[in-house]
């Protein structure tokens, strides 16, 4: 029903599982916002914005994936995906409840 990003976080030689849940939102410009709905870091109670700040500071993400800790979201710039110089990708619909993901791919000449 949502998008899950899982990883591990090592603190003082302890490795904790990190599971972040996101709700996808399609913007009018065809890009995607992943709004954080919940986060689990082992048994710890850590605010989502803190976990996103740790992610932003410790993981090298591609340039088309922007972490916004204050907004508790990830911005996915589909226009910046390194697919091909003559292709453009936009999200049209992202409905996980219905298992529907619709992307528009335009071939540029």
């Amino acid at each position: 029903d949502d998008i899950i990003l899982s990883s591990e976080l090592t603190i003082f030689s302890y490795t904790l599982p990190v599971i972040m849940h996101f709700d996808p939102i399609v913007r009018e410009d065809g890009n995607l916002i992943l709004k954080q709905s919940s986060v689990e870091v082992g048994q710890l109670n850590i605010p989502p914005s803190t976990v996103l700040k740790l992610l932003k500071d410790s993981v090298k993400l591609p340039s088309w994936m922007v972490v916004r800790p204050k907004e508790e979201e990830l911005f996915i710039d589909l226009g910046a995906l390194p697919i091909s110089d003559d292709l453009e990708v936009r999200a049209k619909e992202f409905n996980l409840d219905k298992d529907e993901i619709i992307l528009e791919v335009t071939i540029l000449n």
Side-chain angles (χ1 to χ4, degrees):
D1 293 333
D2 60 356
I3 295 175
I4 299 171
L5 176 63
S6 62
S7 186
E8 293 181 338
L9 180 63
T10 303
I11 302 175
F12 303 117
S13 74
Y14 291 102
T15 301
L16 301 170
V18 177
I19 301 171
M20 294 179 273
H21 297 263
F22 296 93
D23 293 323
I25 301 166
V26 176
R27 292 181 12 157
E28 285 186 29
D29 65 1
N31 288 310
L32 195 59
I33 297 286
L34 302 181
K35 195 73 173 165
Q36 192 166 36
S37 56
S38 68
V39 64
E40 304 162 28
V41 182
Q43 299 295 323
L44 302 175
N45 187 11
I46 299 176
S49 59
T50 302
V51 175
L52 285 174
K53 173 108 172 71
L54 286 169
L55 176 68
K56 181 179 181 177
D57 294 343
S58 62
V59 177
K60 175 107 171 93
L61 296 171
S63 61
W64 49 268
M65 187 177 206
V66 180
V67 179
R68 298 176 174 166
K70 290 180 185 176
E71 294 86 356
E72 296 183 2
E73 67 187 24
L74 295 176
F75 172 67
I76 309 298
D77 185 357
L78 293 175
L81 279 173
I83 297 174
S84 172
D85 289 341
D86 57 353
L87 290 180
E88 182 180 274
V89 179
R90 295 172 46 95
K92 296 297 277 183
E93 187 174 336
F94 218 94
N95 188 333
L96 296 176
D97 290 334
K98 295 181 182 178
D99 290 330
E100 292 180 350
I101 299 172
I102 300 172
L103 301 176
E104 178 181 276
V105 179
T106 304
I107 299 173
L108 308 170
N109 289 332

